[in-house]
Amino acid sequence: EQRGMSVSLAGLISGLLSPLAMTIGFFVWDKSWKGSPYALNLYKCSLASILFLAVALGIHAGKLDPSTGYAPLSVGVLIISSIIGIVFGDFVWLRALQLLGARRVILVDSLKPLFGAVLGRIFLDEYLVPFMLFGIVLTLSGILVVSLESSVEDGKDTKESAEMQEIERKGSMQEIEGRGSISGIESIEDMKAETGNDDSEDIMKVRKGWLMAVANVFVDGVGFMLTKLVGREMTTIDINLIRFGFAAACMLSLTCCLTAWRTMKLVQKLEPNVQSGQKGVVEGENAAWWQLPRNMTKNQWYKVSVGVLFVTFFAPLLSNYALFKLHLSLCMTLLSFGPIYALPLGRIMKNELITWRATLGATLAVAGVVALAFSTDVDDNRF
């Protein structure tokens, strides 16, 4: 009984530290990234894969032995979870942020623990005791209060800024991932609604955004469930190496194919001019959405790389450890704790004010975590 309690607390601590690492990473890279969300996903998955590979080789004495848990079925399921949760999941999350804004996406994200409870009950034989459910609801309530309060305040500050006008004009998704549910950017739709522009095209975009947000809830939960289903015999390093490594390989392959196609089109465009002795017209130097940006300084690359270390290396290590020590729904609840950490970090690093409602939300969230901690000794031995 006591051993089960200690394991549960270790899972709770890991589940709380993971969003802290992610929030720190977001604050570190802040606005340094100048490329597309796809390029950011490509870079962070590739860099994290190299780090996971180096650590995995060190753990397995320089070789990856299948007997350590690399069973073909397990690897195959983890690859599927990579496609669902990272390649497709990150895309629909970023797209929902662009079309709806963080406030609406956060509201939809509050369904993740509920969906996780359903998946855990069906596929993982997990049960929730009443006190644990109370803790989850209390924690989510606090997170929603903080997130929605932050979203309103950030929207007031940024709505008239040149950056937001540029996002509205070009539909750019640049920098959304680094700020996401922490700073709560208002969406293009929010700004258009205030100007009275509500045509059918905008309505379709909002509907598409809601669809993307709901899809993210589904793919995120399924990705976690599949990982937990087959990854019990693996280390968190092994799991992350397979998931992020495969995601990076997929995106890198797409980038190479699109770059080759673009090069062929450019050659075909230049050939007639070369044959006629005319000077060819070369496309601009701006990177395409599938390519890494070319206009970033060394300092910006350094900040992004350090941010990736926290967001895509430390955070997944901790979250996967928590995943195998806690119920799926409880783990997904704790991983939503980022907005709570953004309060003190924003105050320290950016001198941002903390409102009384944000303080109330943080208090509710902490109280929920305390309730969850006390609920661990009444669950079954598998918790």
Side-chain angles (χ1 to χ4, degrees):
E1 184 74 25
Q2 184 64 32
R3 182 176 180 274
M5 178 70 172
S6 63
V7 170
S8 299
L9 289 178
L12 284 171
I13 293 173
S14 297
L16 289 171
L17 288 179
S18 177
L20 175 59
M22 186 169 293
T23 306
I24 292 174
F26 286 156
F27 272 98
V28 168
W29 80 39
D30 196 21
K31 301 178 183 179
S32 297
W33 184 256
K34 303 302 179 184
S36 69
Y38 176 88
L40 176 58
N41 202 22
L42 170 62
Y43 178 70
K44 65 188 184 69
C45 285
S46 300
L47 181 58
S49 299
I50 295 174
L51 295 174
F52 286 126
L53 177 60
V55 177
L57 289 175
I59 292 176
H60 299 303
K63 62 179 181 179
L64 300 181
D65 186 356
S67 63
T68 59
Y70 281 86
L73 177 60
S74 299
V75 173
V77 174
L78 286 177
I79 287 176
I80 294 175
S81 76
S82 173
I83 297 173
I84 294 175
I86 299 178
V87 178
F88 181 69
D90 280 1
F91 168 76
V92 295
W93 179 69
L94 291 169
R95 186 60 174 161
L97 281 173
Q98 184 197 27
L99 296 175
L100 292 182
R103 276 186 297 173
R104 296 182 179 94
V105 173
I106 290 168
L107 285 173
V108 178
D109 278 353
S110 64
L111 298 174
K112 287 184 178 181
L114 177 62
F115 184 57
V118 174
L119 290 176
R121 179 66 188 91
I122 296 175
F123 297 101
L124 303 173
D125 195 28
E126 294 179 346
Y127 293 83
L128 289 179
V129 296
F131 200 62
M132 187 185 299
L133 184 60
F134 169 75
I136 291 177
V137 172
L138 196 61
T139 302
L140 284 178
S141 300
I143 292 172
L144 282 174
V145 169
V146 172
S147 301
L148 299 183
E149 173 71 7
S150 300
S151 296
V152 172
E153 293 300 320
D154 287 346
K156 291 177 181 178
D157 294 336
T158 62
K159 197 177 300 178
E160 298 177 355
S161 67
E163 176 189 0
M164 295 305 296
Q165 293 173 6
E166 187 72 2
I167 291 178
E168 181 179 7
R169 182 174 68 87
K170 295 182 178 180
S172 171
M173 295 201 315
Q174 182 173 322
E175 299 175 6
I176 285 181
E177 180 177 5
R179 296 166 68 178
S181 61
I182 294 177
S183 63
I185 307 175
E186 280 210 316
S187 67
I188 299 172
E189 176 60 27
D190 289 333
M191 292 183 287
K192 286 184 177 180
E194 295 191 355
T195 62
N197 186 359
D198 190 22
D199 54 26
S200 59
E201 182 179 352
D202 294 332
I203 294 176
M204 290 301 297
K205 287 182 178 179
V206 172
R207 291 177 179 175
K208 185 178 180 180
W210 284 113
L211 180 62
M212 293 288 185
V214 173
N216 175 248
V217 172
F218 176 79
V219 298
D220 215 29
V222 172
F224 273 114
M225 182 273 295
L226 291 176
T227 300
K228 187 170 186 177
L229 190 64
V230 301
R232 295 182 182 276
E233 303 301 322
M234 295 184 180
T235 68
T236 56
I237 294 292
D238 298 336
I239 294 171
N240 284 301
L241 172 60
I242 295 173
R243 297 186 79 233
F244 285 102
F246 185 80
C250 287
M251 290 184 286
L252 184 60
S253 298
L254 178 60
T255 294
C256 292
C257 291
L258 291 176
T259 301
W261 173 81
R262 188 183 191 185
T263 303
M264 290 176 59
K265 297 290 290 185
L266 180 59
V267 170
Q268 293 174 359
K269 183 178 180 180
L270 293 177
E271 277 183 350
N273 294 329
V274 173
Q275 293 175 358
S276 61
Q278 298 178 6
K279 189 174 182 179
V281 179
V282 181
E283 294 185 15
E285 295 183 356
N286 293 332
W289 61 266
W290 65 82
Q291 297 175 322
L292 296 180
R294 303 168 186 170
N295 58 342
M296 287 176 55
T297 64
K298 290 182 178 180
N299 185 53
Q300 289 172 332
W301 279 111
Y302 172 77
K303 288 183 178 179
V304 171
S305 299
V306 174
V308 168
L309 182 65
F310 282 92
V311 172
T312 322
F313 184 75
F314 291 133
L317 280 180
L318 293 166
S319 65
N320 276 336
Y321 180 82
L323 179 64
F324 293 102
K325 300 299 179 182
L326 304 173
H327 282 341
L328 181 60
S329 57
L330 174 53
C331 181
M332 297 181 73
T333 300
L334 297 179
L335 296 183
S336 303
F337 222 73
I340 307 299
Y341 293 125
L343 294 177
L345 288 175
R347 181 62 178 173
I348 295 172
M349 302 176 67
K350 296 185 176 181
N351 199 29
E352 295 176 349
L353 296 178
I354 301 177
T355 65
W356 69 268
R357 280 186 289 188
T359 303
L360 174 62
T363 303
L364 287 174
V366 172
V369 172
V370 173
L372 291 172
F374 279 101
S375 71
T376 57
D377 60 350
V378 294
D379 198 4
D380 58 33
N381 295 330
R382 289 177 286 104
F383 183 78

